[in-house]
Amino acid sequence: MQKLLDGIINFRRKDYETHKELFRDLKTSQHPHTLFITCCDSRIHPNMITGALPGELFIVRNVANIVPSYSETSEYVSIMSAIEYAVLALNVENIIVCGHSNCGGCAASLKGIGDHSDFEHTKKWLQLIEPVRNKVVDKIPDNEPGARKWMMEQGNVLEQLKNLGTYPYIVKRVNSGRLQLSGWHYIIETGEVYIYKPEEEGFVLSN
């Protein structure tokens, strides 16, 4: 806790002073250009990865960067409401789904959590990516765990992009050229970011 308290003091004295005018401009409104959907993993820092300043990214985080499909309004409205607000109220121009290496949620989906009652909500949440898990298990043998993890993480990003395509207002804006969707796979230990390229049907190293 003391480290965090020292941090807010340093922020006020250094970073705030550097960007004082920016923070004053952000006092009453925000105009982010991108909705950034990523995992709640503590190793993922969207602003650091992208070099974005405060006010540029509207960030949504959850276990395994999952986007529930539009029809599932009864149980997962938190994520859906954030997407709705970003697109319809803030008029973002981009939506990025960013998965990452060594994702605990993807690993748990592959291995299974078992009957551990303490993780009942996690098990429920990860049911949403079982279609990805099933594809990976069918295609890659269990003696290739590295390949399974890689395919699971990237396949999960593609699954969430597909789910975004079930939101009518997103489809409308994409078709009119007002909104662009992108899927990223961030490698923690190297800083590499692979971006999905539909024309190449795969993720391509972009940095």
Side-chain angles (χ1 to χ4, degrees):
M1 180 61 74
Q2 188 58 50
K3 182 178 181 181
L4 298 178
L5 295 175
D6 292 341
I8 62 174
I9 293 172
N10 289 333
F11 163 73
R12 186 67 174 81
R13 290 175 177 173
K14 297 178 181 179
D15 292 332
Y16 172 78
E17 287 298 322
T18 301
H19 300 290
K20 184 183 295 185
E21 293 304 316
L22 171 62
F23 285 112
R24 287 177 178 173
D25 290 342
L26 294 172
K27 176 182 177 181
T28 57
S29 64
Q30 60 171 321
H31 303 284
H33 51 69
T34 297
L35 167 59
F36 198 94
I37 302 172
T38 193
C39 186
C40 52
D41 192 298
S42 63
R43 298 166 294 178
I44 312 303
H45 194 308
N47 290 76
M48 182 179 289
I49 295 170
T50 62
L53 292 172
E56 292 191 82
L57 303 180
F58 190 81
I59 301 171
V60 173
R61 308 185 72 143
N62 62 62
V63 173
N65 42 266
I66 294 172
V67 176
S69 61
Y70 184 78
S71 60
E72 298 178 68
T73 56
S74 61
E75 295 182 64
Y76 307 108
V77 294
S78 175
I79 304 301
M80 293 185 69
S81 65
I83 294 172
E84 188 175 80
Y85 185 73
V87 176
L88 299 181
L90 298 177
N91 295 304
V92 295
E93 301 169 7
N94 311 287
I95 300 178
I96 294 170
V97 178
C98 181
H100 67 95
S101 62
N102 300 299
C103 177
C106 287
S109 177
L110 276 175
K111 297 176 182 177
I113 298 177
D115 296 323
H116 205 307
S117 60
D118 290 344
F119 291 93
E120 58 180 313
H121 297 102
T122 305
K123 288 173 65 176
K124 173 67 175 176
W125 181 247
L126 293 180
Q127 286 177 4
L128 292 172
I129 58 174
E130 282 187 358
V132 183
R133 176 196 178 277
N134 294 337
K135 289 178 184 177
V136 172
V137 171
D138 287 343
K139 289 186 176 181
I140 301 179
D142 57 8
N143 63 352
E144 296 182 38
R148 276 192 170 187
K149 284 175 59 179
W150 188 270
M151 184 178 177
M152 182 72 196
E153 291 160 2
Q154 293 192 346
N156 182 44
V157 169
L158 297 182
E159 183 75 4
Q160 308 324 312
L161 289 176
K162 185 177 76 173
N163 288 346
L164 285 171
T166 66
Y167 290 62
Y169 54 87
I170 288 179
V171 173
K172 183 177 180 180
R173 293 193 178 209
V174 169
N175 289 341
S176 66
R178 297 168 60 194
L179 183 63
Q180 179 177 330
L181 308 184
S182 185
W184 294 10
H185 186 212
Y186 166 59
I187 311 303
I188 294 170
E189 62 271 27
T190 65
E192 297 170 321
V193 177
Y194 290 81
I195 298 179
Y196 181 71
K197 303 293 184 181
E199 64 276 12
E200 300 188 35
E201 297 184 346
F203 287 79
V204 176
L205 180 62
S206 298
N207 65 337

